[in-house]
Amino acid sequence: TCSARTCPLSRLLMPNPGTGFHEKYAVNSKTGCWDWSAHRIRTGYGMVKDFNRKLSMAHRVSYELHRGWIPADAEVDHLCHNRSCVNPYHLQCVSHAMNSMRGVKALRSHCAYGHEFTPENTSISRGWQRCLTCHREDERRRRVANLLDVHV
């Protein structure tokens, strides 16, 4: 079989022949992740120069190299939850809402008061889940407090 590291055609797929993309990750035999070993930013995402010599996120470049173009309204989600992974088969194009829902911050199944996070009871903003039942109760308490001129 032809892998990304051994296939002679993989060099033709390189975003910039000088970048040596496939030399900048190590395959983790336990997880299957291709862990980016070159430049990473503080949040853990790998960075690489793309074919326009513009600094881009390594996982996005990997997705485009191996799987195809990324739609303008899509984000590339790490199915493995490993931000340094550039394995194109651990990556999936999804909407912002779906990416936020799948995020590590959004893995909770219930809010602090025990309400279940369902699509109908969940609002996601900036990657954070919000329980709509709790939100409605908070709003009701604020309205009552304002009517009674009491600070909550």
Side-chain angles (χ1 to χ4, degrees):
T1 63
C2 188
S3 74
R5 287 181 183 254
T6 60
C7 181
L9 296 177
S10 68
R11 297 270 181 226
L12 300 175
L13 298 173
M14 295 292 288
N16 179 345
T19 63
F21 183 88
H22 295 292
E23 284 77 41
K24 294 183 179 181
Y25 63 81
V27 177
N28 182 324
S29 59
K30 290 181 183 174
T31 64
C33 289
W34 297 0
D35 293 320
W36 191 250
S37 55
H39 177 69
R40 280 191 257 182
I41 57 176
R42 235 179 306 157
T43 55
Y45 292 102
M47 300 298 287
V48 66
K49 286 187 180 174
D50 66 14
F51 63 94
N52 289 323
R53 307 218 28 93
K54 179 183 138 202
L55 203 57
S56 297
M57 294 185 135
H59 67 284
R60 293 179 61 85
V61 172
S62 180
Y63 187 93
E64 288 188 336
L65 276 171
H66 299 96
R67 310 277 310 264
W69 296 107
I70 301 167
D73 61 341
E75 296 180 1
V76 179
D77 184 22
H78 287 88
L79 299 174
C80 57
H81 298 289
N82 175 1
R83 291 179 176 181
S84 69
C85 180
V86 295
N87 182 338
Y89 298 99
H90 288 194
L91 306 172
Q92 184 179 38
C93 281
V94 296
S95 68
H96 174 71
M98 178 59 74
N99 194 14
S100 296
M101 180 69 94
R102 289 178 174 176
V104 174
K105 295 178 201 168
L107 291 178
R108 299 176 297 153
S109 62
H110 292 76
C111 76
Y113 295 98
H115 303 119
E116 185 177 7
F117 282 122
T118 63
E120 300 79 28
N121 189 43
T122 307
S123 169
I124 297 175
S125 176
R126 297 182 184 147
W128 293 96
Q129 287 173 309
R130 178 170 63 176
C131 172
L132 295 179
T133 301
C134 290
H135 178 68
R136 283 189 290 273
E137 290 173 7
D138 289 344
E139 288 298 312
R140 184 187 56 75
R141 275 195 289 278
R142 280 191 198 94
R143 281 193 305 274
V144 170
N146 284 338
L147 287 173
L148 300 174
D149 200 28
V150 177
H151 297 288
V152 187

